[in-house]
Amino acid sequence: MQDPKTDNQELESQVQDSQAQEGQAPIKKRTIRSFVVRGGRMTEGQQKNYDANWAFYGLELAHGRIDYPAVFGRESEVVIEVGFGMGASLVEMAKNAPEKDFIGIEVHPPGVAKLMMLAQEEGLKNIRVYCDDAIEVMASCLPEQAASAFQLFFPDPWHKKKHNKRRIVQPLFAQQVANVLKEGGYFHMATDWEPYAEHMLEVMEAQENYTNAAGKGSYHPRPAWRPLTKFEQRGERLGHGVWDLIYNKQ
């Protein structure tokens, strides 16, 4: 098995080479990760599901910039979700909105395998998935100014103050999201960690090309299209809060 650091270095080199060929300025090499790959090994059953479904649902970082109508075979509103976990919520959204198309991005192979299995069981054709780092997918694969929505639900809050810099919601990330959203598209975040909600609010309120859909400095009620997860339902019973934020790109 290759050393993960070597794999990351090769992947970053591929991203930079691809961008150079397209005449783009290479993205800076990432030195701070906003995630830790947990449970990367798949069971035999998960691997079987992954292999059986990847040909239809999988998208490859190495294939570079995609075209949404070419991927889905139609013109539609496209929703991007980063960090979908085990995929049940994203599959439910895709099932409930057949007129839209969905692309999930997740670094954990077992979660990707589970999402594809659920999508196949539901007979869904309006969902695709990357098993890669979202930053690299956004830089090299997603069309600019084209997605209708970008979703980030319950990202790792990195509770310790010394780790706050690892939180994915930072000013640069907000601008990267804006780059893949079309005008009028929205960036929807949710967290169950209040200090992180406050951090998200502070970052987003400082962005000049977004407006808060709930009003300046306000959190948004959970919209009907975001399904309640089992984790969230349990938290509600225990009196835990959940904070949604929705920002429209100007």
Side-chain angles (χ1 to χ4, degrees):
M1 180 179 290
Q2 285 185 285
D3 183 279
K5 292 182 179 178
T6 302
D7 289 343
N8 286 340
Q9 290 168 354
E10 290 177 354
L11 189 55
E12 286 161 350
S13 177
Q14 291 171 7
V15 171
Q16 291 169 351
D17 289 344
S18 173
Q19 289 178 320
Q21 292 172 6
E22 294 182 14
Q24 301 177 34
I27 60 172
K28 293 182 179 179
K29 183 176 179 180
R30 298 189 67 209
T31 57
I32 299 176
R33 291 285 182 185
S34 62
F35 59 87
V36 173
V37 178
R38 303 182 181 92
R41 292 181 180 275
M42 290 189 282
T43 65
E44 183 178 344
Q46 288 170 333
Q47 186 67 60
K48 183 178 179 180
N49 283 323
Y50 192 104
D51 295 340
N53 294 311
W54 183 258
F56 181 81
Y57 292 108
L59 295 172
E60 299 280 358
L61 179 71
H63 292 168
R65 196 77 60 193
I66 62 173
D67 177 72
Y68 293 144
V71 168
F72 293 103
R74 63 177 181 175
E75 294 282 349
S76 64
E77 291 189 8
V78 176
V79 179
I80 310 297
E81 181 167 332
V82 167
F84 55 73
M86 299 306 286
S89 175
L90 183 55
V91 167
E92 184 175 347
M93 281 185 280
K95 180 181 177 181
N96 292 338
E99 75 282 3
K100 296 181 180 180
D101 291 313
F102 295 78
I103 292 179
I105 307 171
E106 175 59 68
V107 293
H108 306 295
V112 173
K114 180 69 171 180
L115 176 138
M116 293 191 295
M117 182 192 76
L118 293 173
Q120 191 276 330
E121 289 176 347
E122 294 287 351
L124 299 181
K125 307 298 184 184
N126 63 332
I127 192 167
R128 299 292 188 275
V129 60
Y130 282 98
C131 187
D132 290 289
D133 179 358
I135 300 299
E136 287 154 353
V137 171
M138 292 165 69
S140 298
C141 302
L142 300 185
E144 296 182 353
Q145 320 294 324
S148 298
F150 193 102
Q151 301 177 164
L152 180 71
F153 299 150
F154 306 102
D156 193 329
W158 294 100
H159 303 86
K160 295 181 180 179
K161 187 174 182 179
K162 66 179 180 179
H163 291 154
N164 287 176
K165 62 186 177 182
R166 293 183 179 273
R167 291 174 172 172
I168 191 170
V169 179
Q170 304 290 351
L172 178 58
F173 182 73
Q175 293 308 307
Q176 290 169 324
V177 172
N179 191 48
V180 302
L181 284 174
K182 65 183 181 181
E183 186 176 346
Y186 64 86
F187 181 15
H188 182 187
M189 295 156 277
T191 181
D192 62 338
W193 182 247
E194 188 170 10
Y196 197 9
E198 294 169 349
H199 169 84
M200 290 174 169
L201 192 65
E202 179 181 359
V203 169
M204 295 305 298
E205 289 293 319
Q207 307 307 307
E208 296 182 355
N209 54 344
Y210 287 98
T211 56
N212 189 329
K216 188 172 178 62
S218 299
Y219 297 108
H220 199 288
R222 182 184 69 85
W225 69 76
R226 183 176 73 75
L228 275 173
T229 65
K230 291 181 180 179
F231 170 80
E232 191 175 353
Q233 290 172 335
R234 177 179 177 275
E236 284 189 345
R237 291 195 298 269
L238 295 173
H240 299 169
V242 172
W243 292 265
D244 282 74
L245 302 92
I246 300 179
Y247 283 81
N248 297 319
K249 179 187 171 183
Q250 296 180 352

